[in-house]
Amino acid sequence: LRQIDRLIVVEGYMDVVALAQAGVANAVATLGTAATPEHFHKLYRYTEDVVCCFDGDNAGRKAAWRALESALPELKDGRQLKFMFLPEGEDPDSLVRARGKEAFSRLAAEATPAIEYLFSRLADGLDLRNLDDRARLGSLALPHIERVPAGILKDLMQARLAELTGFTPRQVIADRARTGGTTGGARPVPLASDARTHQATGADL
């Protein structure tokens, strides 16, 4: 392709083959390894719009979270990252064969932006009406925000954090320093399915 408006990252090289056979020529795969910062550095040399396509099961969500963490340092201004989750039991191969190129491409275009995905996953299981849980969200989110290069996207992430928690990043940093970096208590990122994260379903078609 001479002009690549968007790259779709899928989990398996056979998915790339199936998508190409269906006319979706802008898909790539990491050949059996998790997506790394080096992968995203290379991807953004070819396009400013990357969509990560994963299965909707627990393994797919784990892979999506690892991809997000790897991509954060590469999200300079103008670059977009989105996440597309397929219905459980579907993969790109089966979906494009059953529903066709146009339906698959439409789902890719409607994928969840990285900022929305980040905050929905970190807030899963928290009650943001509760002061302690808002503090915990700030403590969980800030290390990820700090990994994003300075620019508009980072400013938007900080604004979203303030909107959700009522705390500015400076307040969260000060509180973490005061408590030794344990504001709200550390906990692993939840891996359960999040109803607030967009899922590709038949209704989307």
Side-chain angles (χ1 to χ4, degrees):
L1 299 175
R2 293 178 180 269
Q3 178 66 36
I4 304 176
D5 296 325
R6 174 184 296 125
L7 277 173
I8 301 172
V9 182
V10 296
E11 295 185 75
Y13 66 89
M14 290 306 297
D15 291 321
V16 174
V17 173
L19 290 171
Q21 290 175 335
V24 180
N26 59 331
V28 296
T30 57
L31 296 179
T33 66
T36 65
E38 290 74 23
H39 285 134
F40 284 100
H41 181 73
K42 181 176 287 189
L43 289 168
Y44 283 118
R45 287 167 51 191
Y46 295 101
T47 185
E48 292 188 336
D49 188 357
V50 174
V51 175
C52 293
C53 177
F54 294 100
D55 296 348
D57 58 14
N58 200 43
R61 292 181 177 278
K62 287 182 180 179
W65 185 257
R66 289 194 298 268
L68 174 62
E69 291 183 311
S70 295
L72 289 175
E74 295 296 327
L75 294 183
K76 300 174 183 177
D77 283 354
R79 293 177 174 178
Q80 296 187 66
L81 177 66
K82 298 180 180 179
F83 290 87
M84 171 183 174
F85 294 100
L86 302 180
E88 193 159 354
E90 294 272 20
D91 56 29
D93 184 350
S94 64
L95 187 69
V96 78
R97 291 180 189 279
R99 307 185 188 183
K101 170 186 174 181
E102 295 304 321
F104 184 88
S105 298
R106 186 164 64 250
L107 290 174
E110 296 171 353
T112 303
I115 295 179
E116 181 181 333
Y117 175 59
L118 173 72
F119 282 109
S120 68
R121 287 297 301 274
L122 292 178
D124 188 29
L126 300 180
D127 181 357
L128 297 185
R129 297 169 298 181
N130 180 289
L131 188 63
D132 287 343
D133 279 3
R134 293 206 306 271
R136 179 175 294 181
L137 176 60
S139 183
L140 291 171
L142 190 62
H144 299 291
I145 296 173
E146 289 174 339
R147 297 182 63 222
V148 176
I152 295 173
L153 179 63
K154 187 167 190 170
D155 291 344
L156 289 172
M157 294 177 77
Q158 292 173 337
R160 182 61 173 152
L161 176 64
E163 178 185 346
L164 289 171
T165 65
F167 300 113
T168 66
R170 181 174 298 179
Q171 288 172 316
V172 175
I173 291 171
D175 195 47
R176 290 177 71 213
R178 186 170 59 251
T179 60
T182 59
T183 301
R187 69 184 185 97
V189 174
L191 296 173
S193 177
D194 187 343
R196 288 166 294 180
T197 299
H198 175 76
Q199 295 251 11
T201 66
D204 294 311
L205 307 179

